[in-house]
Each structure stands twice: as C-alpha cells, then as structure tokens.
Amino acid sequence: MADIQVIDAVKTFGKVVAVNHVSLDVHDQEFVVLLGPSGCGKTTLLRAIAGLGVVDSGQILIGGRDVTYLPPKERGISMVFQSYAIFPHMNVFDNIAFGLKMQRTPKDEIRQRVQQAAELLHIEDFLDRYPSQLSGGQRQRVAVARAIAYHAGVLLMDEPLSNLDALLRLEMRAELKRLLSEIKATTIYVTHDQVEALSMGDRIAVMNKGRILQFDAPTVVYDMPADRFVAGFIGTPPMNFLEGQVRRENGHIKVYIGENFAVEPIPEMAETLAAYDGKPIVVGIRAENMEALSQPADDALRVTVLVVEPLGSQNLLTIQIGSDIIKVSTHPDFPARMNEDIWIRFPSDKIRWIDRDSGKTLIPDLEKLTAS
Ligand code: ATP
C-alpha cells in the first residue's frame, strides 16, 4: 500500500507561509493533481512529500509510515522536479536506467523498462546521446522516463510537461495517464494548467495562498466549485459571475439580475436563499450552461452582443448584464453579430449561488442536487 497522508503541514520561508495547515489524503494508486496559480505553494508541498524540504510542523505518512524527517531515498518514491535534473555525464539510457541499476534489477529487465519508458516519451532514438545534446523538452522527457521506469510505489511530478510544445503536451498527457494506470503508482502531479489537471487527475486539490480550497474529482470541482476562487480558476473561460438580488415574492424566492430579470432557484436551494431575502448574492454560471436564443422568449433575458469570437467548435459571445460582462458559449452556427440583440436563458439547475462576503458556494444538499 502506498497511500499518502499529509497531516496539518506548515512550511514558512521567513514571513511567507508557503504551506498553511494543509492536510491531504491520497489513496493507494490514486492520481492526485495539485493545481493552483503561481506561488500558491504546490511545489513546496510536493517537495515536503518528496523529502527535499522539511515541514516546520505537521506530519507526512507514506504507506502508513511516518517519513516526515526521512531523506528522499528512504521514502520509496520516484520524482520529477525541475530542480532535480538528469545527470550530465550519463547518456540517456544510463540516466533512465539509473534507479534500476541501483536496485540491482536484472539487465534484461532494465533494457525492457528503459525501452518502454523511452518509447512512451518519444526519446527512443536518443538513448546514446548526452543531456548537453538534447533540447530542454527532450531533457524533461528523460527525467519523466527515469521516474516512470523505476516503478516506485509513489511518483511525484512537478510540472513534468511544462517544456513541451502544445501538441506534444496534449499527446503526452493521454499517454502518461494510460501508463500511470498500468504501473499502478500513487501519483501526485503538480501543474498550474487546469486543462491538464481536469483531464488527468482522479482528484484535484485546488490550492491558493498555501491552502487547499477544494479536493474533489474533476467533474465535481468543475461543476460544483467550493468557492468563487475555484469557480474563477477552473474552466476556459472560467465561471461567469453576476450581481444578483434576492427577493421573496408571493412566498417564492427569486433572484433578480440585470435591470429586472428574475431567475428562480431550484427548490432545493430556495430555503438556503431565503436567508438572503433583500440581500445581494453572486450568481455563478458557466458559459456553456446558458441557452442563447435568436428570438424573444418569456423566460429569456434580452442582451446585446459586444463581441463574437469564433473558436471553431463553438462561438464565444461577450455580453453585458447590468454592470457585469460575461461570456456565453453557442453553437458555431448560432446567428450572433456584434451590437445585435439576442436572448439568454439561465437553467436554474446550472446556477451556482455564491455568498458575496465569504465567497463560498451555497450547497444545501449536494446529494439531492447531483441526483436531480
Ligand atoms: P509555481 O507554479 O510558480 O512554481 P508554486 O505554487 O509551486 O508556484 P511555491 O514554489 O511552492 O509555489 O512557492 C510558494 C511560496 O513560497 C511563494 O511565495 C514563494 O515565493 C515562496 N518560496 C518558495 N521557496 C522559497 C525559498 N526557498 N525561499 C523563500 N521563499 C520561497
């Protein structure tokens, strides 16, 4: 078993609290992504798990064993860190084979594992070359191949695809995901690329300012972000936010947006929103969850299109509602033109309600909501 537990970890650099009371439970063979903006503490947390930096307080367990103060080589891990470069005096084959030789793995097996890892990373033609004869992206792939070939129970990777061009990155993402499920390592993978996180992770820990704000499956993080930060960080484009005003009318809770357009929450939310009667609320909705109509409808809001961005598989429209500028995604054939009016429907079940002060998403009954 190679489950990983981080218990209330704190790591500071002078006055900077890089990791602020973080707890994280990663299951055996799980693929967990640490995702967050630059400087949020992802690398510091991963380095602490790897043993490259010791936490100020808290504990790290791997496979139930307290490794908080153990050096990396005693933790049963392999890793890819930008700072943990490949050896310049060894050719690519020997770099990839390094850990396996140290482990006294039989020669045939070493050859087979090096070949498999090199093929996966498309570096099988460079096995005789030295790192100085490789590009930055190729060197990075050697580091990933070395970590993969080793077959440790735990694999820790810090932005392993960051130096690759967009196309190779896309291809590698899927191949790496397939391979990691085959070698059954418990993986923690750091990235600031949310598409990479959504596509690869079994679960994503979204970090900001040294804390984990949400730790859930990609679909949950995307569909039910825990707060405004997560909602505004995940998705391309990120979730839209509108100013709303809650009002009770004839016993029904409604939320007004724009000039005077009422949206009705789903019944499961009405009770929670009743506490905001007469108060503002943030209305969160994703671009693809609104319905754009070219004709008026009673339940649709009239808006003017400010910008049309044809993106091939969709058209992204920029519209203004009250003082908020938001994005709406439509089918590429939808007839929208700049400065012309369209109508927008807001499906109640797709709206996320966010407390304006705390920034937290209101979730009264998650099970009821996902079942509906
Ligand atoms: P990035 O995506 O840019 O790599 P990150 O989320 O991995 O960012 P960390 O590298 O963990 O962020 O840094 C977290 C915070 O700790 C930052 O404010 C950073 O400046 C600070 N920090 C990290 N390492 C050190 C160090 N050795 N000395 C001083 N401050 C540090």
Side-chain angles (χ1 to χ4, degrees):
M1 284 287 277
D3 53 328
I4 302 167
Q5 279 170 288
V6 177
I7 305 164
D8 201 24
V10 176
K11 175 76 180 176
T12 53
F13 297 104
K15 283 189 182 150
V16 178
V17 186
V19 173
N20 195 354
H21 294 282
V22 163
S23 293
L24 184 70
D25 240 323
V26 180
H27 306 147
D28 184 41
Q29 296 181 26
E30 196 178 15
F31 189 133
V32 164
V33 177
L34 302 181
L35 174 71
S38 181
C40 71
K42 309 178 292 290
T43 297
T44 307
L45 178 58
L46 197 71
R47 285 175 61 85
I49 298 168
L52 299 174
V54 178
V55 289
D56 301 345
S57 63
Q59 252 185 322
I60 293 160
L61 310 183
I62 295 180
R65 190 165 65 110
D66 189 341
V67 299
T68 315
Y69 301 102
L70 291 186
K73 64 176 182 344
E74 287 174 33
R75 295 191 181 203
I77 56 167
S78 63
M79 52 184 158
V80 183
F81 277 88
Q82 305 246 315
S83 57
Y84 197 75
I86 52 177
F87 306 114
H89 59 285
M90 287 183 195
N91 68 15
V92 171
F93 184 97
D94 289 337
N95 258 291
I96 300 175
F98 181 73
L100 299 171
K101 283 185 181 165
M102 299 293 283
Q103 250 184 350
R104 297 180 197 286
T105 309
K107 272 200 174 139
D108 284 351
E109 195 180 335
I110 293 183
R111 196 163 296 282
Q112 186 212 331
R113 284 213 226 161
V114 170
Q115 188 64 31
Q116 189 198 14
E119 278 171 20
L120 172 85
L121 277 305
H122 302 302
I123 47 173
E124 69 271 29
D125 294 337
F126 308 137
L127 291 175
D128 294 333
R129 287 206 205 166
Y130 285 84
S132 61
Q133 299 167 311
L134 300 174
S135 73
Q138 288 163 344
R139 265 181 244 154
Q140 194 173 32
R141 281 181 275 158
V142 175
V144 175
R146 181 174 63 188
I148 283 171
Y150 188 60
H151 289 198
V154 172
L155 197 50
L156 305 175
M157 297 202 259
D158 190 1
E159 307 256 9
L161 306 182
S162 63
N163 290 343
L164 308 185
D165 66 57
L167 200 61
L168 191 56
R169 204 175 162 129
L170 191 74
E171 189 184 329
M172 210 109 299
R173 204 165 77 193
E175 291 190 16
L176 202 54
K177 182 172 173 174
R178 183 183 54 76
L179 187 94
L180 291 177
S181 76
E182 272 174 25
I183 64 175
K184 301 192 187 319
T186 308
T187 305
I188 305 184
Y189 185 104
V190 162
T191 182
H192 62 263
D193 179 340
Q194 41 112 2
V195 178
E196 208 164 277
L198 287 169
S199 70
M200 294 181 88
D202 292 324
R203 283 192 293 170
I204 303 175
V206 185
M207 292 186 70
N208 193 32
K209 297 183 180 165
R211 291 182 187 274
I212 293 178
L213 303 179
Q214 185 166 12
F215 185 34
D216 267 312
T219 46
V220 178
V221 174
Y222 186 82
D223 191 47
M224 195 61 72
D227 64 18
R228 189 170 175 152
F229 177 86
V230 177
F233 188 73
I234 303 262
T236 320
M239 188 177 271
N240 294 299
F241 302 116
L242 292 160
E243 278 298 313
Q245 195 70 32
V246 183
R247 265 185 250 157
R248 186 190 287 277
E249 284 176 355
N250 307 323
H252 289 281
I253 287 292
K254 294 188 175 173
V255 179
Y256 283 84
I257 58 171
E259 298 284 287
N260 206 19
F261 182 78
V263 228
E264 251 180 89
I266 54 168
E268 290 90 334
M269 286 304 305
E271 208 171 303
T272 313
L273 281 168
Y276 291 78
D277 188 12
K279 294 188 186 143
I281 190 111
V282 177
V283 179
I285 186 149
R286 291 210 176 270
E288 72 274 20
N289 286 337
M290 286 168 276
E291 201 185 331
L293 312 169
S294 51
Q295 302 291 329
D298 284 348
D299 58 349
L301 171 65
R302 180 184 184 138
V303 297
T304 305
V305 176
L306 302 179
V307 183
V308 180
E309 292 172 80
L311 300 178
S313 60
Q314 54 159 324
N315 280 358
L316 200 58
L317 313 182
T318 304
I319 59 169
Q320 182 160 10
I321 297 176
S323 58
D324 300 304
I325 307 269
I326 69 164
K327 304 275 189 194
V328 181
S329 159
T330 68
H331 192 274
D333 296 337
F334 181 77
R337 288 189 197 181
M338 267 164 74
N339 302 321
E340 286 188 1
D341 288 351
I342 59 165
W343 286 261
I344 300 287
R345 243 186 218 139
F346 298 85
S348 306
D349 60 332
K350 298 295 184 192
I351 298 177
R352 301 294 169 251
W353 311 96
I354 300 168
D355 183 285
R356 208 165 76 152
D357 297 331
S358 70
K360 298 268 181 234
T361 307
L362 308 181
I363 302 174
D365 189 336
L366 191 56
E367 277 176 23
K368 237 189 201 177
L369 217 60
T370 45
S372 67

